[in-house]
Amino acid sequence: MSTVRHHILTVHVENKAGVLARVAGLFSRRGFNIFSLAVAPTDDARFSRITIVVDVESAPLEQIVHQLDKLVNVVSISELSPADAVQRELLLATVEASPAERSQVIQLVGVFGGEVLDVGATRLTVMLAGPPEKLDDFERLLETYAVADLQRTGLVALPKIDGRSVRPLREPATA
Amino acid sequence: MKLTGAQALIKSLEMEGVEVMFGLPGGAILPVYDPILGSSIRHVLVRHEQGAGHMAEGYAMVTGRPGVAMVTSGPGATNIVTALSNAYMDSTPLVVITGQVPTASIGTDAFQECDITGVTMGITKHNWLVKTAQDIPETVASAFHVATTGRPGPVLVDVPKDVSFAEMDWHWPPALDLPGFRSPSAPETADVQAAAALVASATRPVIYAGGGILKARAVEELRVLAERTGIPVVTTLMARGAFPDSHPQCLGMPGMHGNYTAVTALQRSDLLIALGTRFDDRVTGRIDAFAPGAKVVHVDIDPAELNKVRRADVAIAADCKLAIGALAATLEGAPAPDLSEWWSQLRRWQEAFPLYYSQSDEPPIKPQMVVEKLRDLSPDDTILVSGVGQHQMWAAQYWRFDHPYSWVNSGGAGTMGFAVPAAIGAKMGRPDRTVWAVDGDGCFQMTAQELVTASAERVPVKVAILNNAYLGMVRQWQEMFYGERYSEVYLSPDLPDYVKWAEAMGCVGLRAESPDEVGTVIEKANAIDDRPVVVDFRTDAFEKVFPMVPAGASNDDIVVHPAQASGR
Ligand SMILES: Cc1ncc(C[n+]2csc(CCOP(=O)(O)OP(=O)(O)O)c2C)c(N)n1
Ligand SMILES: [Mg+2]
């Protein structure tokens, strides 16, 4: 997941109807690949933050950033280098587990520091939050059981407090 | 003051200084057509909404002011999509107003509903769906600001019918809230100095001037830079007239159908000074073989154009007028580089490979001859408009572009049918100037109905149809690259009868069938100033545009006219 092909962009956008379609439309029409995209409001109700993990092999980062910046609703863009960011992603999975297997799954979840959220007769739903690589490992081990359903949220990230500062690629416009 | 949303919309357009708008009413936009009665804005009723869009483009291209068009929802809105796409590709400022079904009906597949903001997201700089009447002044002002600031382009404002009916408190000027909209302006001094250093050490520099020069109104700065340095200038299809063709340093047009010297100068150059241009594939040919020995200074107001196609050694995101001015100022007093060897090489190419065609005394008329005669017999400041195809290339090659804002064509999108409506818009923007459209027979048939608009509105444009009875450009490709297998390109010279059609549309219709008639017919057309004129020039169906760089080939593999081929 965190190879050099990937860059994390934190994009502040105006909280307006259609903004996500504008960002997604730009990526698709310009042939830029997205690995993941997470969007949520910020503490300022006028803006949302989109965290995009982009594939810089599909296009140079500079081109992606400049094209994004042309969207009128995009206010600012910064790049977070994986080394200088705290990154988290959330995974939910429903696993088929016979009563005999159940404890193994619960144990696995415990080793990774996840949680069991729901238990049925032959299934259980588990959760893990963590850096994407940890989720990759967890997902691989889960696959030794029958995974009925699996959902990941995509990455969100903030700069490390004592890390190198974020590279602001485009500052917000001054009024 | 209480106004309806519709009244506020028209009043906002008036406050933005709009004098002319182009459009056609329908259900969803009906409320807005009411306050047009009594407005200072002249509304031109088109016969098809695509025409409204291209008229607005023609108007914008010759005046530098944004073109304005207004249409209804659904099919009215989709009919103007081609023009939006065209304006987006050529960076032409347009403000298009569309009616929309009432807010409560949006998303229900209501009659004439179309998600036009969704449709046009990728072909506008931005678009807005207005939510309340109170937002109208701010939205219109934002639309004009975005369309005209930085790299110009089209915007669209979608107005639901209930918003037009609703009451609002009129206020002007509105405060703009565009926290994410910005554009570079002045260049960094260090970058300008780096560019100047490259200029000083180049031995085969070329100024590669693009349409951005015109958008930035930087014609004078370009002239100063060119004359101060003695560097040759090529003007792209979008920049014809940005540097006078009759200037001794002008090499003319580069590109797929550029002249040999302009194309080859770029190829052999050691420094491209690319100004307001975007390394379009029609200019570069195969990109990895383009100007292999050249360093690049690239100035563009759109940072996304820098390093997009060709990596620049010095990339300057700035307004062309400021950047070229700064570069020229930095070079003032510096010894001009010695380019004498370069110039003698360029002159040798010019002598060996001028544009070439051969006209006999007999029919058929050579299309290039028509363009040359038009050029020589029409006023020096005539505005030339063209469609898309062979005739466009002959117009771009053979006209003498000595004035900026006098060439109106569809470059990036290559939209057939552009010429007639764009010529009407251009004439409305510059009623004092003669406006000639050089059109193809295929193109003419796509939008000719707007000549009815021109007659009704008394807009005396002139249209020269280079009637070769073919979709000529496609025919040329089939001849050259598909083994003369002609598939679906024949049109017929006399179906329709262009003279009768012109007359039916309230125009004067004329025809020239042999070379000796060409001059007389043009003089007759030039003498008419009270109505549109259409001239049907029966031209050689088999003439091809040369030179030509085949699609995907390197500019080194430029194909010259067969009569010149032995000289290579
Ligand atoms: C709307 C549209 N459809 C198709 C094309 C493809 N095309 C490019 S040039 C051309 C032929 C144009 O024919 P005509 O107007 O007669 O011009 P000529 O090339 O004969 O001068 C065609 C079909 C286009 N550019 N635009
Ligand atoms: Mg034709």
Side-chain angles (χ1 to χ4, degrees), chain A residues 14 16-18 21-22 29-30 47 62-63 66-67 69-75 170-173, chain B residues 88 121-122 125-128 131 146 151 177-182 302-308 311:
Chain A
E14 286 184 90
K16 297 219 161 133
R22 289 180 199 277
R29 74 176 167 270
R30 296 243 174 223
F47 304 108
E62 175 191 10
Q63 180 60 199
H66 283 141
Q67 294 293 356
D69 188 50
K70 286 205 280 182
L71 297 179
V72 169
N73 294 142
V74 167
V75 179
R170 300 299 300 179
E171 309 275 6
Chain B
Y88 190 67
M121 216 169 250
K125 273 184 89 176
H126 194 61
N127 56 29
W128 291 261
K131 295 281 172 56
V146 170
R151 180 179 181 170
D177 180 27
L178 296 165
F181 183 68
R182 81 209 112 218
D302 180 355
E305 291 304 341
L306 304 172
N307 298 322
K308 181 182 86 175
R311 196 133 268 287

Side-chain angles (χ1 to χ4, degrees), chain B residues 121-175:
Chain B
M121 216 169 250
I123 52 169
T124 52
K125 273 184 89 176
H126 194 61
N127 56 29
W128 291 261
L129 172 64
V130 185
K131 295 281 172 56
T132 76
Q134 201 57 43
D135 291 345
I136 284 177
E138 185 196 329
T139 309
V140 171
S142 301
F144 277 81
H145 180 69
V146 170
T148 56
T149 306
R151 180 179 181 170
V155 299
L156 179 140
V157 179
D158 200 20
V159 187
K161 196 170 185 178
D162 57 315
V163 171
S164 294
F165 279 130
E167 281 212 324
M168 53 85 70
D169 291 306
W170 170 254
H171 54 98
W172 193 274

Side-chain angles (χ1 to χ4, degrees), chain B residues 36 208 231 286 313 327 485 500 506 531 540 557:
Chain B
I36 282 181
Y208 160 25
I231 296 175
R286 207 178 82 219
D313 297 272
L327 182 56
R485 289 164 54 82
K500 282 190 185 155
R531 72 195 66 190
D540 187 351
D557 301 325

Side-chain angles (χ1 to χ4, degrees), chain B residues 184-188 299-303 306 316-323:
Chain B
S185 60
E188 305 281 344
V299 179
D300 204 286
I301 198 161
D302 180 355
L306 304 172
I316 302 180
D319 179 273
C320 261
K321 191 179 177 74
L322 299 177

Side-chain angles (χ1 to χ4, degrees), chain A residues 105-123:
Chain A
V105 174
I106 292 173
Q107 216 177 8
L108 182 66
V109 171
V111 168
F112 274 84
E115 263 180 69
V116 177
L117 300 181
D118 198 11
V119 186
T122 60
R123 296 177 158 201

Side-chain angles (χ1 to χ4, degrees), chain B residues 293-349:
Chain B
K295 290 209 158 84
V296 173
V297 170
H298 191 181
V299 179
D300 204 286
I301 198 161
D302 180 355
E305 291 304 341
L306 304 172
N307 298 322
K308 181 182 86 175
V309 172
R310 171 78 178 237
R311 196 133 268 287
D313 297 272
V314 178
I316 302 180
D319 179 273
C320 261
K321 191 179 177 74
L322 299 177
I324 300 170
L327 182 56
T330 308
L331 291 165
E332 189 170 9
D338 177 13
L339 305 178
S340 51
E341 244 178 77
W342 183 220
W343 272 111
S344 24
Q345 173 65 74
L346 295 169
R347 296 297 181 223
R348 280 197 299 277
W349 287 332

